[in-house]
Amino acid sequence: MPLTFHQMSAVDKFSLVTVALLPIASLAGNAAADVALVVNVALFLALSTGNYKSFPQSSFLRLSFAFWVWILICSAVSAFPSHSFQDSLPWIRFPLYAFALSHLLGKNSGLNLKYFIGAAILGTLIELAFMLHEYLFIRGELARLHGTFGKLIAGWYLTCLSLIAIFWCLEKLRHGIISHRIAVAICLFTAAVCYGVIISGEIMSTLFFLGSLFLYFIIRNSYSLKTLSVMASGLVVLVVGGIIVNVRDPLLQERLIHSMTTRLPWMPSSDYNLPWTTGMTMAMENPLFGVGPKNFNLYCLSLKQAGTLEALLRVPRCEWHPHNLYLQLADEAGIFGLVIFILIAAHLIRLSYRHSNANHWMRNVPLIIMAVIFFPIQTYSQAFGQSKNFYLWTLIGFALFLIRQQLKERGGDERI
């Protein structure tokens, strides 16, 4: 018989609360999300006193620590070490958080997961309410929405915590273990989040979210007539609704549709072209150690002040970051940092592929998550700072949890 909250020990209750707090804390801003992240890592370490010896056997942790050591070296030899260490020193909290989350979600006989998903659904509804109010009454001439705490991350919340909730609900729907009333609620919730992502004005978040759902319905071992009809109906509703939203909103239409043909990073007409060009030349000028984490803009400004910007980087002005995860890694951690991070991504993708294959392509959420978040052509560029990394590593932690649960059920090795 499953545990109830009142039957749990104080430690188990604290574990449940800290995990469930993650989706709610992130509504309050970066600082609150970071505190919740660190608390979960600390709790996991405190609960794992007898398992420390097994941690070095995790390839994910070994690669993560190798990457951390390397970026610390890059910071130390950079021209601005004190500035660079601000991001490189605490970076290790992100993979530790993903590793911890993959364990904590499986605690308390599944209650941790249920509370986490419930909090994600509640957080999504709160985020959508703020976004709708902003969209109707506050947005003005801007096409992007800020969400609950005044930063342009509303789309990221929906493409992380809301997407996790949707995947969990769709898996329940797919295996037919819920009532028709709950099935209708899941469909309405999914549609609401889809339109929320669209009105967020976030191009990459929109592509990320819709691409994930597309892969979820495409990657499977068999298709029934009922499945195909449901997929087709859902697609028609989303497409028609998306067209209506964009036609009635010229600002959104300009940002989401027109931008697809003019703002691809390699196009001269794109505002991403200059950051990408800067990133390419900076990586070639600093191939071994890069310029140090967090130093992209500072290094560029130092060249500008010295009068050598156009000669060395062949650009007229400086940007904050290169708007591409892999370019940022090459720029700030050099070729070895880029290679180690790619090894981390390759390891996670390999685990996810083996998970799908072992389940006869019936459970593919980890593979979908890894394929999308590590897709090389993107404008996401937050390899080291907190801002969007909370969402990136939450997705990784959730995917690792799903893999870990299946390995545990099959009696396999959980050391991932």
Side-chain angles (χ1 to χ4, degrees):
M1 187 168 178
L3 284 173
T4 65
F5 185 81
H6 297 291
Q7 294 172 326
M8 296 163 57
S9 67
V11 173
D12 288 337
K13 288 179 181 179
F14 186 63
S15 165
L16 186 150
V17 170
T18 55
V19 169
L21 188 63
L22 288 165
I24 305 302
S26 58
L27 290 171
N30 294 338
D34 219 13
V35 169
L37 178 157
V38 172
V39 167
N40 275 272
V41 172
L43 175 66
F44 169 69
L45 294 176
L47 294 175
S48 304
T49 52
N51 299 319
Y52 288 148
K53 292 182 180 179
S54 66
F55 291 174
Q57 298 175 20
S58 166
S59 297
F60 170 66
L61 285 185
R62 289 203 299 267
L63 289 169
S64 297
F65 271 92
F67 180 77
W68 185 45
V69 171
W70 178 254
I71 64 175
L72 290 177
I73 294 172
C74 293
S75 293
V77 302
S78 71
F80 315 99
S82 61
H83 187 262
S84 185
F85 277 126
Q86 293 175 20
D87 274 0
S88 61
L89 267 176
W91 178 85
I92 192 61
R93 72 193 189 279
F94 294 122
L96 284 176
Y97 163 61
F99 189 75
L101 186 64
S102 72
H103 283 271
L104 291 174
L105 286 176
K107 299 291 185 181
N108 296 326
S109 303
L111 272 183
N112 280 18
L113 174 64
K114 291 180 180 178
Y115 274 67
F116 176 76
I117 296 297
I121 293 173
L122 175 61
T124 297
L125 296 176
I126 293 172
E127 185 70 72
L128 288 174
F130 272 80
M131 291 174 65
L132 183 61
H133 179 263
E134 184 181 358
Y135 181 76
L136 295 175
F137 306 109
I138 301 174
R139 185 184 60 157
E141 296 298 318
L142 300 176
R144 297 171 70 184
L145 301 180
H146 290 73
T148 54
F149 54 94
K151 297 223 174 184
L152 294 169
I153 305 182
W156 276 89
Y157 189 97
L158 300 184
T159 52
C160 171
L161 294 161
S162 306
L163 186 62
I164 286 173
I166 286 173
F167 276 147
W168 186 81
C169 291
L170 288 177
E171 284 292 279
K172 298 294 182 183
L173 183 62
R174 180 180 182 181
H175 295 289
I177 55 178
I178 55 177
S179 66
H180 291 295
R181 184 179 298 177
I182 299 298
V184 171
I186 289 173
C187 293
L188 292 175
F189 178 73
T190 302
V193 177
C194 286
Y195 292 126
V197 171
I198 291 173
I199 68 171
S200 73
E202 291 285 347
I203 299 172
M204 289 309 302
S205 293
T206 302
L207 293 175
F208 179 6
F209 183 88
L210 297 179
S212 297
L213 288 184
F214 176 78
L215 290 175
Y216 178 81
F217 288 109
I218 291 298
I219 303 177
R220 52 185 63 213
N221 64 348
S222 62
Y223 297 90
S224 65
L225 183 61
K226 180 180 178 180
T227 300
L228 289 174
S229 63
V230 170
M231 290 168 55
S233 301
L235 182 62
V236 169
V237 170
L238 287 178
V239 170
V240 172
I243 291 174
I244 293 173
V245 169
N246 279 279
V247 168
R248 294 178 61 86
D249 187 343
L251 289 174
L252 203 57
Q253 183 179 9
E254 172 73 16
R255 179 161 179 82
L256 294 183
I257 298 178
H258 179 67
S259 294
M260 299 294 182
T261 58
T262 60
R263 299 184 68 210
L264 296 177
W266 52 84
M267 295 180 174
S269 59
S270 173
D271 50 343
Y272 294 122
N273 186 256
L274 179 61
W276 271 46
T277 301
T278 307
M280 295 290 288
T281 52
M282 190 180 294
M284 289 186 287
E285 289 291 329
N286 304 273
L288 184 55
F289 296 102
V291 299
K294 202 181 179 181
N295 284 346
F296 179 88
N297 180 254
L298 199 57
Y299 174 79
C300 184
L301 291 174
S302 69
L303 295 183
K304 184 177 181 179
Q305 187 176 6
T308 57
L309 177 61
E310 295 194 32
L312 290 178
L313 298 186
R314 298 186 288 279
V315 292
R317 64 180 187 274
C318 296
E319 299 287 333
W320 280 105
H321 52 83
H323 284 279
N324 180 274
L325 178 62
Y326 299 97
L327 271 181
Q328 185 190 13
L329 290 165
D331 292 338
E332 299 184 353
I335 186 64
F336 291 110
L338 176 62
V339 168
I340 298 172
F341 189 87
I342 289 175
L343 288 176
I344 295 174
H347 172 66
L348 293 173
I349 292 171
R350 176 174 170 271
L351 284 175
S352 302
Y353 176 83
R354 291 175 61 184
H355 170 79
S356 292
N357 193 46
N359 287 283
H360 308 291
W361 301 94
M362 292 293 291
R363 300 188 180 187
N364 306 307
V365 171
L367 182 61
I368 293 167
I369 289 174
M370 300 304 180
V372 175
I373 64 176
F374 291 121
F375 188 70
I377 301 175
Q378 51 176 290
T379 57
Y380 164 72
S381 184
Q382 290 286 342
F384 306 108
Q386 199 276 346
S387 184
K388 296 174 183 175
N389 266 310
F390 171 80
Y391 300 105
L392 176 74
W393 292 95
T394 297
L395 284 166
I396 292 174
F398 180 71
L400 288 177
F401 158 73
L402 295 177
I403 296 171
R404 192 181 301 283
Q405 286 296 101
Q406 280 297 294
L407 288 173
K408 185 177 180 180
E409 290 175 9
R410 293 173 180 271
D413 190 353
E414 290 186 70
R415 296 167 188 161
I416 58 178

